[in-house]
Amino acid sequence: QKEVEQDPGPLSVPEGAIVSLNCTYSNSAFQYFMWYRQYSRKGPELLMYTYSSGNKEDGRFTAQVDKSSKYISLFIRDSQPSDSATYLCAMRTGGFKTIFGAGTRLFVKA
Amino acid sequence: GAVVSQHPSWVICKSGTSVKIECRSLDFQATTMFWYRQFPKQSLMLMATSNEGSKATYEQGVEKDKFLINHASLTLSTLTVTSAHPEDSSFYICSARAPLAGAQETQYFGPGTRLLVL
């Protein structure tokens, strides 16, 4: 079993839709949870960062962490074609090593 | 946000040659740098972690004699792929971590280097 599970998709939605991306994990010691966006042939860009459980909102993006269920989510409201990218969840304990999910490819159709 | 650069952005080389990739943190000092490898449509695989002035820590299955990492300063780390072979063709991405500030995530990624070995 992988430490972090993420459905690779692809996920295709119409413009304006609400997108829900999810990851599950097995290591209860994870404390820091991140979402990265990666455009084709580019490095990952940090999108959202959450420490421990709870919600965090930034513009059209909302990140949720449920440590009791070992489940994290990223919601994108009013999705735009420019949101089309691969979204990687990532997490780590208090140390330096970050574990990444496989990434979900998202396509937002105009 | 902090900026991490990589050079070159892409490289094509012949089998058997060595290739050096540079990773620089442009506006902060990176205590730790990471090197990742990414195959098409797959996630990032950590290859090694390097701290300035000390030897890199390689992940299981990564040949340290093949992938030489040098972290000579707080702003520069290099990855040298020695005697490259076609199976080494991949997208190599570095990241740099600034000194931890409270509970902030401070790992910033470079734009990646695409290596094609013929």
Side-chain angles (χ1 to χ4, degrees):
Chain A
Q1 182 189 9
K2 293 181 182 178
E3 278 192 285
V4 179
E5 297 276 1
Q6 183 178 11
D7 186 340
L11 178 62
S12 183
V13 301
E15 183 176 0
I18 297 175
V19 176
S20 173
L21 304 168
N22 312 292
C23 288
T24 59
Y25 63 93
S26 57
N27 187 349
S28 58
F30 286 137
Q31 300 179 54
Y32 301 88
F33 303 91
M34 291 74 71
W35 285 95
Y36 289 86
R37 178 174 61 194
Q38 186 177 23
Y39 291 110
S40 181
R41 299 172 183 263
K42 301 290 185 184
E45 169 194 12
L46 181 64
L47 209 56
M48 298 288 285
Y49 164 79
T50 307
Y51 172 67
S52 193
S53 283
N55 294 357
K56 188 172 185 179
E57 186 173 325
D58 184 2
R60 296 184 294 112
F61 299 91
T62 300
Q64 291 184 349
V65 175
D66 182 349
K67 291 190 72 177
S68 62
S69 301
K70 298 190 180 68
Y71 187 87
I72 70 171
S73 301
L74 176 70
F75 298 96
I76 307 174
R77 292 185 298 279
D78 188 24
S79 56
Q80 303 294 310
S82 58
D83 294 328
S84 298
T86 296
Y87 290 81
L88 299 154
C89 66
M91 49 199 78
R92 62 182 177 90
T93 63
F96 288 157
K97 185 174 178 178
T98 300
I99 307 298
F100 288 85
T104 299
R105 296 177 67 201
L106 172 66
F107 296 96
V108 181
K109 299 173 292 184
Chain B
V3 179
V4 176
S5 70
Q6 273 184 249
H7 179 80
S9 57
W10 61 271
V11 58
I12 302 174
C13 69
K14 293 182 179 180
S15 185
T17 61
S18 294
V19 175
K20 179 184 283 189
I21 303 170
E22 291 187 350
C23 176
R24 293 181 185 273
S25 55
L26 298 185
D27 51 2
F28 66 98
Q29 293 185 325
T31 52
T32 304
M33 287 186 168
F34 305 88
W35 286 96
Y36 294 86
R37 185 172 179 177
Q38 187 177 36
F39 291 103
K41 301 182 181 180
Q42 295 188 27
S43 189
L44 299 164
M45 292 182 58
L46 180 65
M47 298 175 66
T49 302
S50 73
N51 293 294
E52 184 265 340
S54 61
K55 289 184 178 181
T57 301
Y58 289 81
E59 294 298 302
Q60 190 174 9
V62 177
E63 300 176 59
K64 61 181 180 181
D65 294 330
K66 181 166 185 63
F67 299 99
L68 301 179
I69 292 172
N70 184 285
H71 193 160
S73 76
L74 285 171
T75 60
L76 173 65
S77 176
T78 60
L79 167 68
T80 301
V81 183
T82 62
S83 186
H85 291 283
E87 58 265 29
D88 298 324
S89 299
S90 189
F91 192 48
Y92 292 87
I93 307 175
C94 73
S95 72
R97 169 160 282 143
L100 290 173
Q104 293 302 308
E105 177 60 23
T106 56
Q107 182 176 191
Y108 303 99
F109 284 84
T113 296
R114 189 162 301 278
L115 171 64
L116 176 61
V117 184
L118 302 177

